[in-house]
Amino acid sequence: MNSSKLASRSYRLFLVTAVGYCSYLAWTICSTEEKPKPVTPAAEKKNLVVLGTGWGSVSFLKDLDIDNYNVFVISPRNYFLFTPLLPSCTTGLVEGHSLMEPIRNFFKGKSAVEFYEAEATEVDPERRVVHIKRNHTIQGEVAQSVIPYDMLVVGVGADNATFNVPGVEEHSCFLKNANDAQKIRNRITDCIETALCKGRSSDEIQKLLHFVVVGGGPTGVEFAAELQDYYKDGLRDRFPDIMDAFRITLIEALPNVLPMFSKQLMDYTESTLKAEAINVLTKASVKEVSKDDIRVEVTKPDGTKDIQTIPYGLLVWATGNKQKGIIENLAMRLNKQQDSRRGLVVDGCLAVQGAHNIWALGDCANSKLPPTAQVAHQQGSYLANVFNAMARTPSSGGPEVQPFDYNHQGALAYIGMDKAVADLNLLGFNISSHGFFTFLFWKAAYLNMCLSARSRFLVTTDWMKARVFGRDMFRE
């Protein structure tokens, strides 16, 4: 088949997909019918406090029969963030506000819900209160107060794990929230504009345009792929004088990138990244980070180790999670949590062991499941059904609750230049795929995962705008 026929078929496929999805968007926006929900009398309502507005907490709130509880939602950010597409924000493919959904939209018109834009600093399980801190930027003061609870759902997520490597906190960029994405985007622009200044030596330009990514999981791989797309889509033609120095290095401590995928897809990903001129450095452990370079210990094929010093203009750290301070503090208060390392240990029903009427989900829960959005989303929906059942059942007995059963639907990752990889679990069969049509599936799956029609529309618009006009290349 010649290239013109292939291009014609690809265009028709894109057109049919776009029309079909626009129809789906219109249906979701116009469909407002709600099912009737059982309502508990006001005098019998319990105070339910929800910490966090991430995947687990929002999925819980979406499926909860809110009218049966007095709900208090506490989070330092007043929006839900669609984190899987954060790497696309760093290079202007998707705008940050397109991934944000105001948290109040999930319980619009519900008088039984109160939201506090505040940071939960401590949970006191003996007194059954949550200590919160609010920064009033207008008044220039910090207000502290306590929120009592009868039932507490903890979904505060996790912080970035630095593995105690010196210099990581001071000199690295992370990629967990919208501010991180904007910081990386500004830093990329700073590196390019600084390299363009007159009088820069060749060594300085090489350093400024060397972008290093530590972490070969989906976040690290997708960011490296998006950055290489950014270079090929616009930077290479607009800045031809310096773009010969543009380089990306991806560092992973394990033998392969994307270790959660099949061996076939791991090999395909590495070969694709290398074909796109991304330097993939596996079996490499970062030992120290300074302002201008990092020291990496690389294990050679013969088992010997070599220390390399790698200069960089931008360093993005995308390697794992560590517990937040509030989780560590709560674990120390509970007898059955003293040996917890990955979060609050929960039982099969997501109840925190050693505590009464406290549940945890998502990245702050140690449920022996991977810390992914898919896990947190399913946990939130499950826990909402548990709470709905408790509201329908007399308090003397309580409902018979089945343990949480995680349904792994697969893993997806974008690897650059309209290619993606997918390990899917369909009807009990494991299906691996890669390439352009997997990329189309990746787009459709991520749009379907968006929790609102608003986000689906904005993300689709951003993709179309970037395809027609190119990516935004300015710093905010």
Side-chain angles (χ1 to χ4, degrees):
M1 183 183 298
N2 59 41
S3 58
S4 61
K5 289 184 178 180
L6 180 60
S8 177
R9 288 192 177 184
S10 299
Y11 174 76
R12 288 198 298 270
L13 177 63
F14 172 77
L15 187 61
V16 170
T17 303
V19 171
Y21 201 79
C22 286
S23 302
Y24 170 71
L25 281 177
W27 179 82
T28 57
I29 292 172
C30 296
S31 178
T32 58
E33 182 180 358
E34 293 186 2
K35 296 180 180 180
K37 298 177 180 179
V39 179
T40 302
E44 300 177 11
K45 289 183 180 180
K46 294 184 178 180
N47 288 345
L48 168 59
V49 174
V50 181
L51 304 185
T53 52
W55 279 96
S57 298
V58 169
S59 297
F60 173 76
L61 290 169
K62 278 175 63 68
D63 292 340
L64 178 70
D65 291 339
I66 286 176
D67 292 328
N68 292 316
Y69 299 93
N70 296 315
V71 182
F72 301 86
V73 182
I74 301 168
S75 174
R77 65 187 194 192
N78 65 351
Y79 58 87
F80 164 77
L81 179 66
F82 187 77
T83 50
L85 283 176
L86 267 183
S88 298
C89 290
T90 61
T91 59
L93 181 62
V94 175
E95 295 300 328
H97 63 80
S98 299
L99 307 182
M100 300 177 187
E101 183 70 22
I103 191 63
R104 289 179 174 88
N105 285 358
F106 294 110
F107 42 81
K108 188 161 45 179
K110 300 291 185 180
S111 60
V113 182
E114 294 186 34
F115 172 76
Y116 298 120
E117 189 180 52
E119 179 184 1
T121 58
E122 182 183 352
V123 175
D124 187 338
E126 288 81 20
R127 295 174 54 205
R128 292 193 182 184
V129 296
V130 178
H131 294 259
I132 67 173
K133 177 178 69 175
R134 285 175 282 184
N135 294 319
H136 296 292
T137 55
I138 296 178
Q139 298 177 344
E141 63 182 20
V142 176
Q144 299 187 24
S145 57
V146 296
I147 305 294
Y149 69 84
D150 297 309
M151 313 168 88
L152 176 65
V153 174
V154 184
V156 296
D159 287 332
N160 299 283
T162 64
F163 305 102
N164 298 318
V165 176
V168 173
E169 290 281 359
E170 297 83 356
H171 306 297
S172 299
C173 292
F174 302 104
L175 192 51
K176 269 192 175 293
N177 56 54
N179 290 335
D180 291 338
Q182 188 60 54
K183 180 179 177 181
I184 292 172
R185 185 170 170 179
N186 290 342
R187 178 72 179 184
I188 294 171
T189 304
D190 285 341
C191 289
I192 294 171
E193 296 293 348
T194 304
L196 285 168
C197 291
K198 289 184 178 181
R200 293 291 176 192
S201 68
S202 176
D203 289 343
E204 287 178 309
I205 294 175
Q206 292 280 345
K207 170 186 168 297
L208 286 167
L209 298 183
H210 188 198
F211 302 95
V212 177
V213 185
V214 179
T219 299
V221 168
E222 291 191 341
F223 169 70
E226 291 283 5
L227 187 55
Q228 186 67 7
D229 285 356
Y230 187 31
Y231 163 70
K232 289 191 172 183
D233 288 346
L235 297 179
R236 180 171 55 183
D237 295 332
R238 298 191 185 192
F239 307 105
D241 294 338
I242 62 172
M243 281 300 116
D244 286 344
F246 189 95
R247 291 179 299 149
I248 301 172
T249 297
L250 178 63
I251 298 174
E252 169 57 45
L254 297 176
N256 300 96
V257 299
L258 298 182
M260 69 290 298
F261 284 74
S262 66
K263 182 66 167 59
Q264 172 195 359
L265 293 183
M266 286 190 291
D267 293 341
Y268 175 80
T269 299
E270 287 192 25
S271 63
T272 301
L273 294 176
K274 290 176 181 178
E276 294 298 328
I278 297 175
N279 179 31
V280 179
L281 203 58
T282 55
K283 295 185 180 180
S285 176
V286 178
K287 297 300 180 182
E288 185 179 358
V289 176
S290 69
K291 180 181 178 182
D292 298 311
D293 55 49
I294 63 174
R295 293 179 66 251
V296 181
E297 183 182 77
V298 181
T299 302
K300 296 181 178 180
D302 60 3
T304 61
K305 299 182 184 296
D306 179 37
I307 297 294
Q308 298 182 13
T309 300
I310 302 176
Y312 67 87
L314 166 69
L315 174 63
V316 174
W317 191 270
T319 61
N321 297 324
K322 71 174 182 180
Q323 298 180 47
K324 287 183 175 289
I326 185 176
I327 301 301
E328 293 179 342
N329 181 277
L330 179 56
M332 291 177 61
R333 291 172 174 263
L334 304 174
N335 292 330
K336 296 184 179 181
Q337 300 286 336
Q338 301 302 318
D339 296 328
S340 174
R341 294 293 181 269
R342 287 186 49 199
L344 296 170
V345 179
V346 295
D347 62 17
C349 300
L350 305 182
V352 176
Q353 294 186 7
H356 181 64
N357 279 0
I358 300 179
W359 292 260
L361 39 69
D363 293 355
C364 67
N366 184 356
S367 58
K368 299 181 180 179
L369 292 170
T372 64
Q374 185 179 170
V375 170
H377 179 71
Q378 291 186 30
Q379 287 178 335
S381 297
Y382 162 82
L383 196 58
N385 291 330
V386 171
F387 274 65
N388 295 340
M390 287 192 292
R392 294 192 298 265
T393 306
S395 57
S396 57
E400 182 180 347
V401 179
Q402 296 297 320
F404 173 67
D405 184 19
Y406 172 58
N407 176 24
H408 182 65
Q409 297 173 347
L412 296 165
Y414 178 64
I415 60 174
M417 297 308 294
D418 294 349
K419 296 177 183 177
V421 292
D423 256 341
L424 305 176
N425 185 5
L426 299 176
L427 302 176
F429 296 95
N430 292 323
I431 300 175
S432 297
S433 67
H434 56 76
F436 174 72
F437 289 103
T438 305
F439 163 69
L440 293 180
F441 177 80
W442 173 85
K443 279 198 164 188
Y446 273 25
L447 283 174
N448 186 61
M449 287 172 61
C450 290
L451 297 187
S452 71
R454 170 187 173 276
S455 291
R456 295 187 189 104
F457 175 78
L458 291 176
V459 170
T460 303
T461 302
D462 288 344
W463 280 341
M464 295 175 66
K465 181 181 68 175
R467 182 70 68 176
V468 175
F469 300 107
R471 304 179 188 226
D472 289 334
M473 309 176 84
F474 50 82
R475 173 161 47 89
E476 295 181 1

